[in-house]
Amino acid sequence: MNILDKIIVDKKREVILKKSIIPVSQLEASVFFGKETISLSQSLRISPTGIIAEHKRRSPSKSVINHDFTVEEVVKGYENAGACGISVLTDGKYFGGSLDDLLLARASVNIPLLRKEFIVDEYQILEAKAYGADLILLIAAVLTRQEIKSLSEFAKSLGLEVLLEVHSAEELEKSIMPTLDMIGVNNRNLKTFEVSLDFSKQLASQIPDDFVKISESGISSIEAITELKPYGYQGFLIGENFMKTDNAGKAATEFIEQLTKN
């Protein structure tokens, strides 16, 4: 069993437990549940840089990245740096995140927030909305076409945008549907953790222009973004590169300033 399979098995158990503790009615009573969401896809279409910065404490491939920052420090730093949106990891066991991180981020900034999670159930989408997310992530590698369809339709019914993550032509082919807003190509193979920008380059022409194209993982230089822009990418998700420094906001500011000059 690879790491992705393990995560999904744990996630399904976790969702069953959460459902038994917190009823849907409690999530729907959240102060954020009726809040109008902010569109990341619109922001990326008009942005000269397209940076989506990530709050991420650790990962299965890198172990600890950074435990020293508060969520508020990181996300305010990202917003001040000019990031288009912020991705917040909410998985606890493998990434050291939580829904409270999302809640604190929402209380701190007014730019689009992505709940970065392994979504396998509509309940997690209700949580995303209740805790202040503007969009959710669906991972094609762990979902069937029918699951992508029903989960994306449910997200849209709540006013949330949908970012679909793919890693291969097969995943892309099974997933394309009108209820998606953005398609992200993960440059990291979630089964082997090998990273290569070639994944983004190879899949670019197969992603219809109706969707905002996002390149995710392994982007640590201005050159990487310059290399990917001609392929039609408008969004670039960067986490580790900022989080591994002693000041994520400052690192993001310097990166975005340099990107703007280029």
Side-chain angles (χ1 to χ4, degrees):
M1 192 186 277
N2 64 47
I3 186 71
L4 188 57
D5 294 333
K6 281 184 193 155
I7 291 172
I8 295 305
V9 168
D10 286 339
K11 196 55 59 180
K12 286 179 175 173
R13 285 192 194 125
E14 183 187 300
V15 172
I16 291 166
L17 283 171
K18 282 183 161 184
K19 281 179 169 178
S20 70
I21 302 163
I22 299 170
V24 167
S25 57
Q26 193 173 320
L27 294 174
E28 289 174 341
S30 153
V31 68
F32 291 126
F33 206 82
K35 177 189 171 289
E36 201 169 317
T37 50
I38 314 163
S39 170
L40 178 62
S41 63
Q42 281 176 21
S43 178
L44 291 173
R45 282 185 198 278
I46 59 169
S47 168
T49 60
I51 300 300
I52 304 158
E54 190 161 79
H55 179 271
K56 177 180 179 179
R57 290 189 182 86
R58 58 184 167 89
S59 75
S61 62
K62 286 280 165 74
S63 188
V64 173
I65 297 165
N66 204 318
H67 282 296
D68 298 335
F69 303 139
T70 65
V71 175
E72 182 189 20
E73 284 169 333
V74 174
V75 298
K76 280 192 166 168
Y78 286 160
E79 183 178 43
N80 292 337
C84 289
I86 299 170
S87 164
V88 181
L89 260 299
T90 61
D91 172 78
K93 182 173 178 181
Y94 297 92
F95 291 88
S98 72
L99 275 166
D100 282 345
D101 290 344
L102 183 59
L103 199 62
L104 290 167
R106 178 75 294 151
S108 306
V109 298
N110 198 35
I111 58 174
L113 294 180
L114 164 69
R115 180 186 186 188
K116 185 99 177 275
E117 182 56 271
F118 298 86
I119 289 181
V120 291
D121 194 286
E122 286 183 0
Y123 184 83
Q124 294 163 289
I125 301 175
L126 289 166
E127 285 180 325
K129 180 72 172 161
Y131 281 77
D134 299 291
L135 64 151
I136 58 150
L137 176 74
L138 295 179
I139 301 171
V142 301
L143 300 166
T144 64
R145 179 175 175 83
Q146 186 50 48
E147 285 169 335
I148 292 166
K149 184 174 186 292
S150 61
L151 291 169
S152 60
E153 283 173 356
F154 186 66
K156 299 298 277 186
S157 76
L158 297 176
L160 295 165
E161 286 195 320
V162 181
L163 164 61
L164 179 93
E165 178 178 297
V166 298
H167 186 72
S168 67
E170 296 74 39
E171 287 176 11
L172 180 62
E173 206 176 307
K174 80 167 182 188
S175 310
I176 289 179
M177 57 188 73
T179 41
L180 309 173
D181 300 282
M182 293 153 276
I183 293 182
V185 178
N186 194 340
N187 298 308
R188 177 178 284 116
N189 185 321
L190 291 174
K191 293 176 175 146
T192 64
F193 285 97
E194 171 211 357
V195 177
S196 169
L197 293 184
D198 288 343
F199 293 119
S200 282
K201 292 175 184 175
Q202 287 158 8
L203 289 179
S205 63
Q206 297 168 55
I207 302 171
D209 291 336
D210 314 359
F211 308 103
V212 173
K213 295 179 196 175
I214 295 174
S215 186
E216 309 170 19
S217 296
I219 299 169
S220 56
S221 67
I222 303 294
E223 291 73 33
I225 292 176
T226 312
E227 221 178 291
L228 290 169
K229 279 202 165 182
Y231 289 87
Y233 286 94
Q234 291 171 291
F236 306 92
L237 194 141
I238 302 177
E240 236 156 80
N241 202 45
F242 302 146
M243 288 296 292
K244 69 185 180 189
T245 67
D246 57 8
N247 187 329
K250 183 167 175 268
T253 301
E254 287 167 1
F255 191 92
I256 291 170
E257 277 174 2
Q258 202 185 334
L259 188 56
T260 309
K261 280 179 197 156
N262 279 36

